[in-house]
Amino acid sequence: MSGVRGLLAVVREAFASAIAQPIGSAIALVVVAGMCAAVLLTSGRTVAAEQQVVASIDSAGTRAIVVRAEADAGLDTSVLDRLAGVEGVQWAGAFSLAEDARNAAFAGGTPVPLRQAWSEDWRELGLPPRASVDGAVAFASATALDRLGIDGAVGELALDDGHGYAVGGRVETPEHLSFLEPLVVAPQPPAEQAVPVGALVVIAAQPELVAPLTDVVRSVLDVADPTRVELRTSETLATLRGLVEGQLGAFGRALTLGILGVSAVLVGVLQFGMVTLRRKDFGRRRALGASQRLVVALVTIQTAIVAGIGAAAGSALAIGVLAAAGDPLPGPRYLLGVGTLAVLVATLAALLPAFSAARREPITELRVP
């Protein structure tokens, strides 16, 4: 407890010293505020733009590997078992060959392709994790429901072979399944025996895994006729994502380091000036028994307090400017990181002046007129 009380006393004294030097503290505050504002309005804007661009291309469609097979290719649901243990696969689903389905409410309606589907997780389709266990319920996109003439996503579908499905609801067609539009899927329980499928969709956990996973998927297809299988990926978009992230990130880091370096020099010079002005005060403290560690703590904590207020003010100013201009805002983690880094840089820049003040001889400083 005594250590905590001592620290609090040093913090109070440092705060009082900052108030006692309004001009120096104001200049330091403005320097740190300008540092944060400059970083956020330059590299922060770049980071926000990078996040926006990456988010626009970093969708499941960017990470999708789509395999389409003809009826006699030999692709079946057993491929899902072979993919189950592959690291880097976020999701995999298999779809049967299309069957014509019509609205059972009237004869001669517009046919829409219906596909049975197999997967361990149906959230990629916007369905509950275990959408259906009996395989008798189908889900349709808005386009499919419109063609079928079904309002309210409630109805019944009839196949040409006499089988039927109840319509269980509407799904939003994800980008990587747009090739199946108009989309009507009937989730199926795990197949006890291998069932032929016409399409396989694999989603990589990260864009950079698309290329290696493509080779893995190709190796586990185990089809009778590879010439009747088409494999498509968005590897080009994944590569573009990496280039955008790398180039914009490097530019932002270089700019941030430059601004922080210049600001650190300014804070250091300012603290040297403030220490020089207070040399008699520090000499008096040392003569009364203050240790060198206490003097160093006073200078650095005072700088940290002023820098914290400046970082908050500069960040608020930058956010206001970006919001007013309609520019994208960096995430909260980036904002917190810039503010923390600004305080840390200012505090480290004050260490050299602090050590200089602590090592001066009290008698010599007290003799200074």
Side-chain angles (χ1 to χ4, degrees):
M1 290 296 294
S2 60
V4 174
R5 286 196 295 267
L7 178 60
L8 291 176
V10 174
V11 171
R12 285 196 298 268
E13 181 65 23
F15 188 76
S17 297
I19 295 176
Q21 293 181 295
I23 296 178
S25 298
I27 295 175
L29 188 151
V30 170
V31 169
V32 176
M35 174 180 14
C36 284
V39 169
L40 293 176
L41 291 176
T42 53
S43 63
R45 180 179 288 166
T46 301
V47 168
E50 172 195 337
Q51 293 171 347
Q52 195 173 58
V53 171
V54 168
S56 67
I57 61 178
D58 188 18
S59 61
T62 308
R63 298 178 280 115
I65 303 169
V66 178
V67 179
R68 302 192 68 174
E70 298 181 14
D72 53 353
L75 183 64
D76 57 47
T77 52
S78 64
V79 68
L80 294 176
D81 297 329
R82 294 190 290 273
L83 286 170
V86 177
E87 186 176 357
V89 174
Q90 176 178 305
W91 183 82
F95 301 84
S96 69
L97 296 167
E99 300 178 82
D100 285 342
R102 293 177 171 82
N103 189 340
F106 52 87
T110 302
V112 172
L114 179 144
R115 294 172 176 84
Q116 295 178 333
W118 293 265
S119 179
E120 293 295 325
D121 188 350
W122 298 106
R123 284 174 290 189
E124 285 291 333
L125 287 174
L127 304 179
R130 304 286 181 181
S132 175
V133 294
D134 57 8
V137 178
F139 299 84
S141 67
T143 303
L145 291 172
D146 182 63
R147 293 191 183 183
L148 290 166
I150 296 178
D151 295 326
V154 176
E156 187 175 350
L157 302 178
L159 304 183
D160 291 342
D161 60 5
H163 290 85
Y165 291 89
V167 177
R170 177 182 301 173
V171 294
E172 296 292 335
T173 305
E175 179 185 353
H176 53 280
L177 295 182
S178 59
F179 69 96
L180 297 179
E181 277 281 29
L183 179 66
V184 181
V185 292
Q188 301 295 308
E192 297 181 359
Q193 296 181 343
V195 179
V197 297
L200 170 70
V201 179
V202 178
I203 306 297
Q206 298 178 7
E208 55 267 24
L209 296 177
V210 171
L213 277 180
T214 299
D215 296 332
V216 173
V217 170
R218 185 178 286 111
S219 67
V220 301
L221 291 179
D222 192 26
V223 294
D225 189 354
T227 62
R228 297 187 176 277
V229 174
E230 176 190 7
L231 191 149
R232 294 187 292 110
T233 70
S234 297
E235 186 177 349
T236 302
L237 281 178
T239 304
L240 175 62
R241 179 194 184 278
L243 291 174
V244 169
E245 190 173 27
Q247 291 181 359
L248 291 180
F251 171 76
R253 285 190 295 270
L255 192 58
T256 299
L257 290 176
I259 295 173
L260 292 177
V262 172
S263 301
V265 172
L266 292 176
V267 171
V269 171
L270 178 63
Q271 287 302 317
F272 262 116
M274 293 177 66
V275 164
T276 301
L277 292 174
R278 296 181 61 194
R279 61 188 184 275
K280 293 188 68 174
D281 177 42
F282 290 130
R284 189 180 303 110
R285 290 175 184 274
R286 295 280 285 116
L288 292 174
S291 65
Q292 292 182 345
R293 291 174 57 186
L294 177 60
V295 173
V296 171
L298 282 173
V299 175
T300 53
I301 292 176
Q302 176 183 341
T303 304
I305 292 173
V306 174
I309 298 173
S315 298
L317 175 63
I319 292 173
V321 172
L322 291 174
D327 292 330
L329 298 177
R333 292 178 59 185
Y334 183 84
L335 293 172
L336 180 61
V338 169
T340 303
L341 190 59
V343 174
L344 182 61
V345 166
T347 305
L348 291 177
L351 283 177
L352 190 57
F355 283 121
S356 175
R359 296 186 63 178
R360 295 188 180 190
E361 290 295 332
I363 296 178
T364 303
E365 294 302 326
L366 290 174
R367 287 177 180 173
V368 176

